[in-house]
C-alpha cells in the first residue's frame, strides 16, 4: 500500500546526507541530494497528488540531536510521512572526536523518537538504514560500532511494523561491481549515483 496520499506532507529527517546543501533559512529548500531526487521523481509520476516535501536534515546530527529538535523540526510540521535516516555520525564521532554513543543509548533514544511520533501524529514512518562504504583502511574498524546500530534500527523497524530501506546491504552490493568511490567518495556521503540509489530504494519501500 502506498504511504503517500493526496495532499500529503513528507518530512525527511537526518544528518548531512539528508541536508545535502539545503538552505536552512528556506523551509522549502530540499537541497541537492536524495530528498530532491525523490521529490522530483514522485512529482513527475503523481502530478495530481499535491504532495509537499520538506527537508530538515542537519549536518553532523546524531540521534541525541534529533531528539532535541524533534518538536520544532518534526511534530510542529505535522507531516503525514516521516522518513528518518540517521546513525552514521553516532558511530563516526567515536573515531574522530572520541565521543562514543553506546548501541543501547542509540536504541533507546531512537525508540523514543518513534514512540512520540506515533503518539503525537497521525503519520506513517519509514526508517532508512545507515551505511558505510570504507574507502580508507581505518574506516573498516568502524564496523565494530556501526553494525550493532544497524541491527538496532532493523529491530525498531520490526517492533513498530515500519517500512525499511536497507541501504548498507544495497550499497555494499552495488560497490562490488564498481568500487566504493563510485557511490561515495568518502565512504559516508553519497555521490550523485549514490543519491539515486537511495531515492530508488526509498520510493520502493513506501510503495511509490
Amino acid at each position: 500500500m502506498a504511504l503517500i496520499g493526496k495532499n500529503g506532507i513528507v518530512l525527511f529527517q537526518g544528518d548531512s546526507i539528508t541536508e545535502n546543501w539545503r538552505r536552512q533559512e528556506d523551509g522549502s529548500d530540499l537541497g541537492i541530494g536524495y530528498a530532491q531526487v525523490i521529490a522530483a521523481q514522485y512529482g513527475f509520476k503523481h502530478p495530481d497528488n499535491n504532495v509537499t516535501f520538506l527537508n530538515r536534515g542537519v549536518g553532523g546530527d546524531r540521534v541525541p540531536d534529533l531528539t532535541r529538535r524533534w518538536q520544532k523540526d518534526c511534530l510542529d510540521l505535522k507531516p503525514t510521512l516521516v522518513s528518518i535516516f540517521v546513525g552514521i555520525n553516532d558511530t563516526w564521532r567515536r573515531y574522530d572526536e572520541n565521543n562514543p554513543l553506546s548501541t543501547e543509548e542509540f536504541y533507546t533514544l531512537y525508540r523514543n523518537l518513534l514512540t512520540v511520533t506515533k503518539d503525537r501524529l497521525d503519520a506513517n514512518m519509514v526508517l532508512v538504514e545507515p551505511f558505510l562504504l570504507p574507502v580508507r583502511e581505518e574506516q573498516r574498524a568502524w564496523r565494530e560500532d556501526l553494525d550493532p546500530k544497524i541491527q538496532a534500527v532493523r529491530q525498531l523497524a520490526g517492533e513498530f511494523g515500519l517500512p525499511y530501506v536497507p541501504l548498507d546491504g544495497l550499497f555494499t552490493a552495488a560497490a562490488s561491481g564498481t568500487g566504493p568511490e563510485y557511490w561515495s567518495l568518502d565512504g559516508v556521503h553519497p555521490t550523485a549515483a549514490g543519491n539515486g540509489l537511495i531515492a530508488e530504494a526509498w520510493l520502493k519501500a513506501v510503495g511509490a
Side-chain angles (χ1 to χ4, degrees):
M1 183 180 69
L3 298 183
I4 307 176
K6 284 185 177 293
N7 304 310
I9 301 174
V10 177
L11 173 64
F12 298 105
Q13 264 294 357
D15 50 39
S16 59
I17 299 173
T18 299
E19 181 182 44
N20 211 316
W21 298 97
R22 77 174 178 92
R23 294 167 293 169
Q24 293 189 19
E25 68 275 11
D26 181 354
S28 64
D29 188 8
L30 293 174
I32 60 172
Y34 76 87
Q36 171 66 26
V37 178
I38 288 170
Q41 293 189 6
Y42 185 90
F44 171 72
K45 294 177 182 177
H46 307 283
D48 298 326
N49 281 2
N50 190 38
V51 172
T52 299
F53 291 88
L54 301 174
N55 185 348
R56 292 297 184 271
V58 174
D61 266 14
R62 305 194 296 173
V63 169
D65 302 299
L66 265 64
T67 299
R68 284 189 285 271
R69 60 184 181 83
W70 204 245
Q71 181 68 47
K72 173 175 67 75
D73 284 346
C74 180
L75 302 180
D76 288 350
L77 299 174
K78 294 181 171 52
T80 58
L81 175 60
V82 181
S83 174
I84 305 175
F85 183 6
V86 69
I88 189 61
N89 290 319
D90 298 270
T91 285
W92 200 348
R93 295 296 86 83
R94 170 181 172 180
Y95 297 95
D96 67 348
E97 296 182 3
N98 192 29
N99 184 16
L101 183 76
S102 71
T103 300
E104 292 74 19
E105 187 173 4
F106 175 84
Y107 168 86
T108 298
L109 290 173
Y110 204 139
R111 192 179 193 282
N112 288 343
L113 285 180
L114 301 182
T115 299
V116 71
T117 304
K118 180 180 178 181
D119 290 346
R120 297 277 301 279
L121 295 176
D122 182 22
N124 294 309
M125 292 182 280
V126 56
L127 304 189
V128 183
E129 178 175 276
F131 74 91
L132 175 67
L133 284 177
V135 298
R136 303 191 309 273
E137 187 60 33
E138 62 267 24
Q139 286 178 316
R140 298 185 184 281
W142 296 13
R143 280 288 170 192
E144 177 187 5
D145 190 275
L146 181 62
D147 285 352
K149 290 182 170 66
I150 289 174
Q151 292 302 321
V153 182
R154 291 175 179 172
Q155 180 177 339
L156 288 168
E159 285 180 29
F160 284 80
L162 302 177
Y164 189 74
V165 187
L167 287 189
D168 194 56
L170 292 175
F171 270 104
T172 298
S176 67
T178 62
E181 291 87 353
Y182 182 79
W183 304 99
S184 174
L185 293 178
D186 66 354
V188 171
H189 298 93
T191 60
N195 280 305
L197 185 156
I198 295 170
E200 181 178 88
W202 191 95
L203 288 164
K204 180 179 179 181
V206 303

